[in-house]
Amino acid sequence: MVQQVADGPTQLYIDRLYCHEVTSPQAFDGLRRRGLKPLRPDHICCMPDHNTPTHDQHLPIADPVSRRQVETLAANAEEFGLTHFGMMHRDNGIIHVVGPELGLSLPGMTIVCGDSHTSTHGAMGAVAFGIGTSEVEMVLASQCILQQKPKSMRITISGRLAQGSTAKDMALYLMSQLTTSGATGYFVEYAGEAVEALSMEGRLTLCNLSIEMGARGGFVAPDDTTFAYIKGLPYAPKGEAWDKAVSRWRTLRSDDNAVFDRQLHFRAEDILPRITYGTNPGMGMAVDGFIPALDNVDEAERPSFCKALDYMGFRPGQQLLGTPVDYVFLGACTNGRIEDFRAFASVVAGRHKAENVTAWLVPGSWHVDRQIRAEGLDRVLRAAGFEIRQPGCSACLAMNDDKIPAGKLCVSTSNRNFEGRQGQGARTVLASPLTAAAAAVTGVITDPRTLL
């Protein structure tokens, strides 16, 4: 904190600003109009990800709008002397995947980006949240931002996840319990045995989806799992600086007697593999469950409930097991990491992609792509009839070539299932990599536990 404005917001110093091509152009234009330069250019990283194609990245981008946005980011980074990981750079990918895997995102940092899923970086033990374009300009110019302090919430999940259940299922379960607005106005800390047992990839997935409950951000206290993940990364402290950093990072946890504005408790044993059935991430159920009957829906919510089901082509009380699938998407800043590809490969190994399914498997970064090939996962996937595309946000959102056609049903590991999110008229079912893989080889929505 730099200062507290009397009866107003807090002025926060920002350790890391990430800029991508969609929300930064107007911010850079604002600097030019005011004759300003970035205050701390060494604390700013630029990376295209939303508009990048996931094939033929060595060629000029065909779509003129996407090409202009990507080229504008490169020009702005060069003009203002900022670090830029452009297309085909070995460290390019989705910014919320690359930041943690390079050690650019570290415990104790304040991290912002003009993207709501900046909450992802909270898994590193950082305070991370998305901001608007005008706020991007504010951080560029001053390395500070004005923020109202959010309320605090701790979500504790006891026990252990059962086989077939993942961090994605944990997040989808929480959203169904809290709804997509249940954490509005809060910053969430995740705790409990089930959270502590998650890998860093799992924690990143969990924090990524905090925004889908309405939360300002998510946080997992850094521990030995965090430190093991960070040690040796390109931008992580080295030598004596590492030892000092870890000593400080160990203090970044809530005291035993900490008071939260709201505390919630859940049991990991209640979290089964899940899917969504509607047009927001909170409309979810167990993969072998049933869409709620109309009588079980609050009367005030029935119009939006029915509208969502009409869009999806589903009906109240329906079970979705066995529903034919057209597309499967593995990737996004939610599930585009190496652990997600390992999980997908574990299901499809020895099986083959269903003929009726188009599958897009998109690594979250070139580093993930290299890991896939080093571990031989590419050979497993290829033998099962799958191809690996080039890194990018891909079919998470309709800002690049990877759009789901109107009316087609996609089982997706991404973070949002809004109307038109993956393409005009596209229908999206959110799921974990295991559930997506099960659909990819059976051609229908399938409980992944039957294939494990």
Side-chain angles (χ1 to χ4, degrees):
M1 183 179 76
V2 177
Q3 65 173 324
Q4 176 70 50
V5 179
D7 299 320
T10 299
Q11 184 182 15
L12 287 179
Y13 177 78
I14 300 302
D15 294 296
R16 183 77 66 203
L17 168 64
Y18 292 123
C19 291
H20 63 71
E21 73 275 26
V22 179
T23 59
S24 66
Q26 297 92 335
F28 285 110
D29 285 343
L31 291 188
R32 291 188 189 92
R33 286 194 302 270
R34 297 159 65 193
L36 299 175
K37 293 183 178 180
L39 180 68
R40 298 292 303 273
D42 55 324
H43 287 224
I44 301 167
C45 295
C46 302
M47 184 175 300
D49 53 13
H50 285 55
N51 291 116
T52 57
T54 60
H55 57 86
D56 295 332
Q57 287 189 4
H58 62 289
L59 300 175
I61 298 175
D63 179 70
V65 175
S66 294
R67 183 172 66 251
R68 181 180 179 186
Q69 288 193 321
V70 171
E71 291 175 348
T72 298
L73 179 65
N76 283 329
E78 182 177 5
E79 177 182 348
F80 290 103
L82 305 177
T83 299
H84 177 240
F85 300 102
M87 282 174 50
M88 297 303 294
H89 188 288
R90 63 174 282 108
D91 291 328
N92 176 257
I94 305 172
I95 191 63
H96 304 316
V97 174
V98 173
E101 73 183 11
L102 288 182
L104 287 165
S105 301
L106 296 172
M109 279 187 167
T110 51
I111 300 173
V112 296
C113 175
D115 184 280
S116 58
H117 293 104
T118 308
S119 58
T120 306
H121 306 265
M124 308 298 293
V127 175
F129 51 92
I131 58 176
T133 298
S134 61
E135 294 172 310
V136 173
E137 182 181 344
M138 185 187 303
V139 179
L140 285 169
S142 67
Q143 207 60 37
C144 292
I145 193 171
L146 297 174
Q147 288 288 294
Q148 295 287 351
K149 183 179 179 181
K151 293 182 289 186
S152 60
M153 177 189 294
R154 177 161 60 190
I155 296 178
T156 302
I157 305 175
S158 61
R160 292 263 176 169
L161 289 172
Q163 184 187 33
S165 295
T166 69
K168 180 63 166 291
D169 300 300
M170 183 184 291
L172 290 174
Y173 176 80
L174 292 177
M175 284 185 274
S176 70
Q177 298 299 302
L178 274 74
T179 77
T180 53
S181 60
T184 300
Y186 290 90
F187 205 99
V188 176
E189 177 176 347
Y190 300 100
E193 297 168 279
V195 174
E196 293 170 3
L198 292 176
S199 65
M200 281 308 300
E201 287 90 347
R203 296 178 186 187
L204 289 160
T205 295
L206 181 61
C207 287
N208 174 273
L209 290 159
S210 300
I211 188 68
E212 308 307 338
M213 300 185 298
R216 195 75 181 93
F219 175 87
V220 177
D223 57 14
D224 287 338
T225 298
T226 319
F227 310 145
Y229 178 88
I230 295 172
K231 190 171 185 178
L233 295 180
Y235 290 89
K238 305 292 190 298
E240 184 178 342
W242 168 259
D243 296 331
K244 290 182 177 178
V246 171
S247 295
R248 180 172 58 86
W249 294 341
R250 289 191 186 278
T251 68
L252 302 177
R253 56 189 312 109
S254 299
D255 296 335
D256 293 338
N257 59 350
V259 176
F260 291 81
D261 293 303
R262 188 181 182 191
Q263 293 212 52
L264 298 173
H265 298 264
F266 299 96
R267 300 191 317 157
E269 293 84 355
D270 296 332
I271 302 173
L272 305 176
R274 299 187 67 81
I275 54 173
T276 59
Y277 57 82
T279 54
N280 72 62
M283 299 179 75
M285 63 185 187
V287 67
D288 61 352
F290 293 82
I291 296 173
L294 199 57
D295 290 345
N296 294 329
V297 177
D298 185 270
E299 188 171 353
E301 297 176 358
R302 287 179 189 174
S304 61
F305 175 80
C306 291
K307 180 176 182 291
L309 292 192
D310 286 343
Y311 180 85
M312 292 299 296
F314 301 150
R315 64 183 186 276
Q318 180 181 352
Q319 187 178 42
L320 296 185
L321 285 180
T323 301
V325 170
D326 301 301
Y327 282 75
V328 167
F329 170 50
L330 173 67
C333 60
T334 313
N335 285 121
R337 299 176 180 83
I338 185 60
E339 183 178 273
D340 304 310
F341 278 82
R342 291 171 184 155
F344 193 97
S346 73
V347 173
V348 306
R351 299 184 170 95
H352 201 275
K353 183 183 74 65
E355 290 186 4
N356 60 297
V357 171
T358 298
W360 291 337
L361 278 53
V362 186
S365 70
W366 282 109
H367 177 66
V368 173
D369 181 85
R370 290 190 292 271
Q371 288 179 294
I372 290 169
R373 299 177 194 284
E375 296 181 15
L377 299 180
D378 58 322
R379 295 191 295 275
V380 173
L381 295 169
R382 191 162 50 248
F386 297 92
E387 295 182 0
I388 300 170
R389 298 171 80 87
Q390 294 175 315
C393 289
S394 185
C396 177
L397 75 174
M399 284 191 179
N400 53 72
D401 294 342
D402 297 349
K403 296 179 179 68
I404 308 301
K408 299 299 184 181
L409 184 66
C410 177
V411 174
S412 175
T413 67
S414 53
N415 40 53
R416 288 179 174 163
N417 54 341
F418 304 155
E419 291 187 20
R421 171 74 177 184
Q422 291 192 289
Q424 187 174 0
R427 301 181 297 142
T428 302
V429 170
L430 299 179
S432 75
L434 292 177
T435 303
V441 294
T442 62
V444 298
I445 293 177
T446 300
D447 187 336
R449 293 170 295 183
T450 63
L451 301 184
L452 295 177

mmCIF file of all heavy atoms in Angstrom, residues 275 312-314 318-326 356 409 411 427 429 439 442-446:
data_model
loop_
_atom_site.group_PDB
_atom_site.id
_atom_site.type_symbol
_atom_site.label_atom_id
_atom_site.label_comp_id
_atom_site.label_asym_id
_atom_site.label_seq_id
_atom_site.Cartn_x
_atom_site.Cartn_y
_atom_site.Cartn_z
ATOM 1 N N ILE A 275 -20.269 -31.223 -14.909
ATOM 2 C CA ILE A 275 -20.460 -30.545 -16.183
ATOM 3 C C ILE A 275 -21.442 -29.401 -15.961
ATOM 4 O O ILE A 275 -22.169 -29.376 -14.967
ATOM 5 C CB ILE A 275 -21.015 -31.477 -17.287
ATOM 6 C CG1 ILE A 275 -22.312 -32.157 -16.803
ATOM 7 C CG2 ILE A 275 -19.964 -32.492 -17.717
ATOM 8 C CD1 ILE A 275 -23.027 -32.962 -17.870
ATOM 9 N N MET A 312 -29.417 -24.022 -25.044
ATOM 10 C CA MET A 312 -28.576 -25.217 -25.050
ATOM 11 C C MET A 312 -29.254 -26.415 -25.716
ATOM 12 O O MET A 312 -28.588 -27.409 -26.042
ATOM 13 C CB MET A 312 -28.199 -25.579 -23.610
ATOM 14 C CG MET A 312 -27.273 -24.583 -22.931
ATOM 15 S SD MET A 312 -25.672 -24.418 -23.766
ATOM 16 C CE MET A 312 -25.001 -26.066 -23.561
ATOM 17 N N GLY A 313 -30.577 -26.346 -25.883
ATOM 18 C CA GLY A 313 -31.287 -27.475 -26.455
ATOM 19 C C GLY A 313 -31.519 -28.590 -25.454
ATOM 20 O O GLY A 313 -31.701 -29.757 -25.842
ATOM 21 N N PHE A 314 -31.521 -28.252 -24.169
ATOM 22 C CA PHE A 314 -31.768 -29.216 -23.107
ATOM 23 C C PHE A 314 -33.141 -28.946 -22.490
ATOM 24 O O PHE A 314 -33.790 -27.942 -22.793
ATOM 25 C CB PHE A 314 -30.684 -29.133 -22.033
ATOM 26 C CG PHE A 314 -29.283 -29.374 -22.533
ATOM 27 C CD1 PHE A 314 -28.186 -28.758 -21.920
ATOM 28 C CD2 PHE A 314 -29.044 -30.221 -23.602
ATOM 29 C CE1 PHE A 314 -26.897 -28.983 -22.371
ATOM 30 C CE2 PHE A 314 -27.756 -30.453 -24.066
ATOM 31 C CZ PHE A 314 -26.674 -29.824 -23.444
ATOM 32 N N GLN A 318 -33.517 -33.387 -17.370
ATOM 33 C CA GLN A 318 -32.795 -34.251 -18.308
ATOM 34 C C GLN A 318 -31.447 -34.682 -17.744
ATOM 35 O O GLN A 318 -30.746 -33.916 -17.090
ATOM 36 C CB GLN A 318 -32.577 -33.512 -19.635
ATOM 37 C CG GLN A 318 -31.835 -34.313 -20.704
ATOM 38 C CD GLN A 318 -31.620 -33.517 -21.977
ATOM 39 O OE1 GLN A 318 -32.152 -32.411 -22.132
ATOM 40 N NE2 GLN A 318 -30.857 -34.060 -22.904
ATOM 41 N N GLN A 319 -31.072 -35.923 -17.998
ATOM 42 C CA GLN A 319 -29.717 -36.389 -17.739
ATOM 43 C C GLN A 319 -28.922 -36.263 -19.034
ATOM 44 O O GLN A 319 -29.420 -36.609 -20.103
ATOM 45 C CB GLN A 319 -29.709 -37.841 -17.265
ATOM 46 C CG GLN A 319 -28.329 -38.324 -16.819
ATOM 47 C CD GLN A 319 -28.340 -39.756 -16.305
ATOM 48 O OE1 GLN A 319 -28.985 -40.625 -16.892
ATOM 49 N NE2 GLN A 319 -27.641 -40.013 -15.213
ATOM 50 N N LEU A 320 -27.695 -35.755 -18.938
ATOM 51 C CA LEU A 320 -26.928 -35.470 -20.153
ATOM 52 C C LEU A 320 -25.982 -36.590 -20.555
ATOM 53 O O LEU A 320 -25.380 -36.529 -21.638
ATOM 54 C CB LEU A 320 -26.139 -34.165 -19.980
ATOM 55 C CG LEU A 320 -26.997 -32.904 -19.801
ATOM 56 C CD1 LEU A 320 -26.120 -31.659 -19.763
ATOM 57 C CD2 LEU A 320 -28.034 -32.779 -20.918
ATOM 58 N N LEU A 321 -25.815 -37.594 -19.721
ATOM 59 C CA LEU A 321 -25.000 -38.736 -20.133
ATOM 60 C C LEU A 321 -25.535 -39.292 -21.449
ATOM 61 O O LEU A 321 -26.737 -39.470 -21.622
ATOM 62 C CB LEU A 321 -25.044 -39.833 -19.064
ATOM 63 C CG LEU A 321 -24.231 -39.596 -17.785
ATOM 64 C CD1 LEU A 321 -24.402 -40.787 -16.834
ATOM 65 C CD2 LEU A 321 -22.752 -39.382 -18.087
ATOM 66 N N GLY A 322 -24.634 -39.521 -22.389
ATOM 67 C CA GLY A 322 -25.027 -40.061 -23.685
ATOM 68 C C GLY A 322 -25.398 -39.029 -24.720
ATOM 69 O O GLY A 322 -25.683 -39.375 -25.866
ATOM 70 N N THR A 323 -25.380 -37.739 -24.340
ATOM 71 C CA THR A 323 -25.693 -36.675 -25.299
ATOM 72 C C THR A 323 -24.557 -36.553 -26.318
ATOM 73 O O THR A 323 -23.394 -36.395 -25.944
ATOM 74 C CB THR A 323 -25.882 -35.335 -24.577
ATOM 75 O OG1 THR A 323 -26.949 -35.451 -23.632
ATOM 76 C CG2 THR A 323 -26.181 -34.221 -25.572
ATOM 77 N N PRO A 324 -24.852 -36.618 -27.625
ATOM 78 C CA PRO A 324 -23.795 -36.524 -28.638
ATOM 79 C C PRO A 324 -23.032 -35.196 -28.558
ATOM 80 O O PRO A 324 -23.614 -34.142 -28.297
ATOM 81 C CB PRO A 324 -24.558 -36.640 -29.961
ATOM 82 C CG PRO A 324 -25.808 -37.375 -29.599
ATOM 83 C CD PRO A 324 -26.169 -36.906 -28.229
ATOM 84 N N VAL A 325 -21.741 -35.279 -28.810
ATOM 85 C CA VAL A 325 -20.836 -34.130 -28.734
ATOM 86 C C VAL A 325 -20.239 -33.874 -30.111
ATOM 87 O O VAL A 325 -19.897 -34.817 -30.840
ATOM 88 C CB VAL A 325 -19.717 -34.402 -27.709
ATOM 89 C CG1 VAL A 325 -18.634 -33.341 -27.776
ATOM 90 C CG2 VAL A 325 -20.293 -34.488 -26.301
ATOM 91 N N ASP A 326 -20.140 -32.605 -30.493
ATOM 92 C CA ASP A 326 -19.569 -32.251 -31.798
ATOM 93 C C ASP A 326 -18.099 -31.853 -31.691
ATOM 94 O O ASP A 326 -17.290 -32.202 -32.557
ATOM 95 C CB ASP A 326 -20.353 -31.089 -32.412
ATOM 96 C CG ASP A 326 -21.822 -31.419 -32.589
ATOM 97 O OD1 ASP A 326 -22.127 -32.380 -33.299
ATOM 98 O OD2 ASP A 326 -22.666 -30.707 -31.992
ATOM 99 N N ASN A 356 -17.301 -38.603 -34.818
ATOM 100 C CA ASN A 356 -18.189 -37.443 -34.867
ATOM 101 C C ASN A 356 -17.639 -36.228 -34.127
ATOM 102 O O ASN A 356 -18.265 -35.167 -34.123
ATOM 103 C CB ASN A 356 -19.546 -37.798 -34.252
ATOM 104 C CG ASN A 356 -19.434 -38.246 -32.789
ATOM 105 O OD1 ASN A 356 -18.807 -39.271 -32.513
ATOM 106 N ND2 ASN A 356 -20.041 -37.512 -31.878
ATOM 107 N N LEU A 409 -22.333 -28.570 -30.234
ATOM 108 C CA LEU A 409 -22.109 -28.726 -28.796
ATOM 109 C C LEU A 409 -20.646 -29.032 -28.536
ATOM 110 O O LEU A 409 -20.090 -29.989 -29.101
ATOM 111 C CB LEU A 409 -22.981 -29.847 -28.239
ATOM 112 C CG LEU A 409 -22.905 -30.046 -26.720
ATOM 113 C CD1 LEU A 409 -23.482 -28.848 -25.981
ATOM 114 C CD2 LEU A 409 -23.634 -31.327 -26.302
ATOM 115 N N VAL A 411 -17.751 -29.765 -25.557
ATOM 116 C CA VAL A 411 -17.306 -30.019 -24.187
ATOM 117 C C VAL A 411 -15.957 -29.335 -24.048
ATOM 118 O O VAL A 411 -14.997 -29.695 -24.740
ATOM 119 C CB VAL A 411 -17.207 -31.522 -23.881
ATOM 120 C CG1 VAL A 411 -16.604 -31.742 -22.496
ATOM 121 C CG2 VAL A 411 -18.580 -32.163 -23.959
ATOM 122 N N ARG A 427 -22.817 -23.901 -28.456
ATOM 123 C CA ARG A 427 -23.301 -24.388 -27.168
ATOM 124 C C ARG A 427 -22.133 -25.020 -26.409
ATOM 125 O O ARG A 427 -21.430 -25.881 -26.957
ATOM 126 C CB ARG A 427 -24.424 -25.412 -27.371
ATOM 127 C CG ARG A 427 -25.619 -24.839 -28.134
ATOM 128 C CD ARG A 427 -26.715 -25.887 -28.290
ATOM 129 N NE ARG A 427 -26.273 -27.027 -29.089
ATOM 130 C CZ ARG A 427 -26.616 -28.287 -28.832
ATOM 131 N NH1 ARG A 427 -27.391 -28.581 -27.800
ATOM 132 N NH2 ARG A 427 -26.193 -29.265 -29.608
ATOM 133 N N VAL A 429 -20.459 -26.833 -22.922
ATOM 134 C CA VAL A 429 -20.537 -27.568 -21.657
ATOM 135 C C VAL A 429 -19.146 -27.524 -21.033
ATOM 136 O O VAL A 429 -18.181 -28.032 -21.620
ATOM 137 C CB VAL A 429 -20.978 -29.036 -21.883
ATOM 138 C CG1 VAL A 429 -20.817 -29.848 -20.601
ATOM 139 C CG2 VAL A 429 -22.415 -29.093 -22.368
ATOM 140 N N ALA A 439 -15.413 -37.653 -23.386
ATOM 141 C CA ALA A 439 -16.327 -37.294 -24.477
ATOM 142 C C ALA A 439 -15.648 -37.436 -25.829
ATOM 143 O O ALA A 439 -16.277 -37.830 -26.822
ATOM 144 C CB ALA A 439 -16.828 -35.865 -24.284
ATOM 145 N N THR A 442 -15.578 -41.247 -26.743
ATOM 146 C CA THR A 442 -16.872 -41.941 -26.829
ATOM 147 C C THR A 442 -17.841 -41.237 -27.770
ATOM 148 O O THR A 442 -18.802 -41.851 -28.246
ATOM 149 C CB THR A 442 -17.528 -42.046 -25.442
ATOM 150 O OG1 THR A 442 -17.783 -40.721 -24.938
ATOM 151 C CG2 THR A 442 -16.629 -42.809 -24.469
ATOM 152 N N GLY A 443 -17.599 -39.932 -28.005
ATOM 153 C CA GLY A 443 -18.493 -39.169 -28.875
ATOM 154 C C GLY A 443 -19.730 -38.651 -28.192
ATOM 155 O O GLY A 443 -20.563 -37.992 -28.820
ATOM 156 N N VAL A 444 -19.847 -38.923 -26.893
ATOM 157 C CA VAL A 444 -21.004 -38.463 -26.116
ATOM 158 C C VAL A 444 -20.523 -38.021 -24.750
ATOM 159 O O VAL A 444 -19.404 -38.330 -24.322
ATOM 160 C CB VAL A 444 -22.062 -39.575 -25.949
ATOM 161 C CG1 VAL A 444 -22.615 -40.012 -27.302
ATOM 162 C CG2 VAL A 444 -21.480 -40.782 -25.195
ATOM 163 N N ILE A 445 -21.347 -37.252 -24.032
ATOM 164 C CA ILE A 445 -21.016 -36.873 -22.666
ATOM 165 C C ILE A 445 -20.944 -38.156 -21.833
ATOM 166 O O ILE A 445 -21.875 -38.955 -21.813
ATOM 167 C CB ILE A 445 -22.047 -35.901 -22.095
ATOM 168 C CG1 ILE A 445 -21.970 -34.558 -22.840
ATOM 169 C CG2 ILE A 445 -21.830 -35.695 -20.595
ATOM 170 C CD1 ILE A 445 -23.018 -33.541 -22.401
ATOM 171 N N THR A 446 -19.798 -38.336 -21.172
ATOM 172 C CA THR A 446 -19.491 -39.608 -20.489
ATOM 173 C C THR A 446 -18.899 -39.337 -19.125
ATOM 174 O O THR A 446 -18.106 -38.404 -18.946
ATOM 175 C CB THR A 446 -18.491 -40.423 -21.339
ATOM 176 O OG1 THR A 446 -19.071 -40.687 -22.624
ATOM 177 C CG2 THR A 446 -18.120 -41.722 -20.664
#
